[in-house]
Each structure stands twice: as C-alpha cells, then as structure tokens.
Amino acid sequence: MKLLTVLLLAALPLYCSAGSGCQLLEDVISKAIDPGVNLEEYKAELQEFLHSDADRKAVEQFKQCFLNQSDETLSNVQLMMESIYGSKYCRAF
C-alpha cells in the first residue's frame, strides 16, 4: 500500500501539469477507493484506456489493492487524496 501511495503521489503532479486537469484522475481514484464499486464495474469504467492484457491486469491489481483494505484505511486514503487535490500544486489546474 505504501508503494501504491508513493506512485500515486508521483503521478498526480505529472498528470495535473499535462494541462488536462485532475477531474479524470479524481474520478478514477475515487472509484478505486470506493468499496461499493466492484472489479468488473471499475474495469468497465476504464475500458477506453485498456488496450492490452497488461493494462487490464494492472487495473485489476490496482483495484484489488483497495478492495483488500479496511474501511479506516480507505477513509484515510480518501482524505489524503482530497488534501492533494486541494493543494496549491493542483489547484491551478
């Protein structure tokens, strides 16, 4: 989980600075964190971005990582992501 958090933190500023905004990333992360969204629903939401078996496997592992966490951990991750989205680095986008 720590590695995943580090990867998300590293990817977020790059994604935001690409000029496309953060809404898509916010939606993908929110659905990943939401325990009410099952693996099949999550993959269906991201279908347009899944071009290979490796992509599908990565998305499955990403979502499964969150499905394996406690509600407390998911709440903390959501809080962390909201803090990032509200940071001065993402606010401009």
Side-chain angles (χ1 to χ4, degrees), residues 23-24 26-32 34 36-50 56 59 63:
Q23 190 58 49
L24 177 61
E26 286 181 41
D27 292 343
V28 168
I29 301 274
S30 177
K31 288 177 178 143
D34 185 356
V37 176
N38 68 33
L39 185 56
E40 294 307 316
E41 292 170 337
Y42 190 66
K43 285 194 310 188
E45 288 287 329
L46 296 174
Q47 190 59 43
E48 67 182 289
F49 304 106
L50 306 178
R56 283 182 276 285
V59 165
K63 177 62 180 171

Side-chain angles (χ1 to χ4, degrees), residues 38-91:
N38 68 33
L39 185 56
E40 294 307 316
E41 292 170 337
Y42 190 66
K43 285 194 310 188
E45 288 287 329
L46 296 174
Q47 190 59 43
E48 67 182 289
F49 304 106
L50 306 178
H51 303 293
S52 68
D53 287 335
D55 294 340
R56 283 182 276 285
K57 186 174 181 181
V59 165
E60 288 172 5
Q61 289 176 349
F62 184 70
K63 177 62 180 171
Q64 192 60 48
C65 177
F66 287 105
L67 289 173
N68 293 340
Q69 303 304 314
S70 69
D71 288 340
E72 180 183 8
T73 299
L74 294 176
S75 176
N76 288 338
V77 171
Q78 182 64 38
L79 180 62
M80 177 191 70
M81 295 312 295
E82 289 170 6
S83 297
I84 292 170
Y85 298 147
S87 74
K88 65 181 182 181
Y89 300 108
C90 245
R91 211 171 310 148

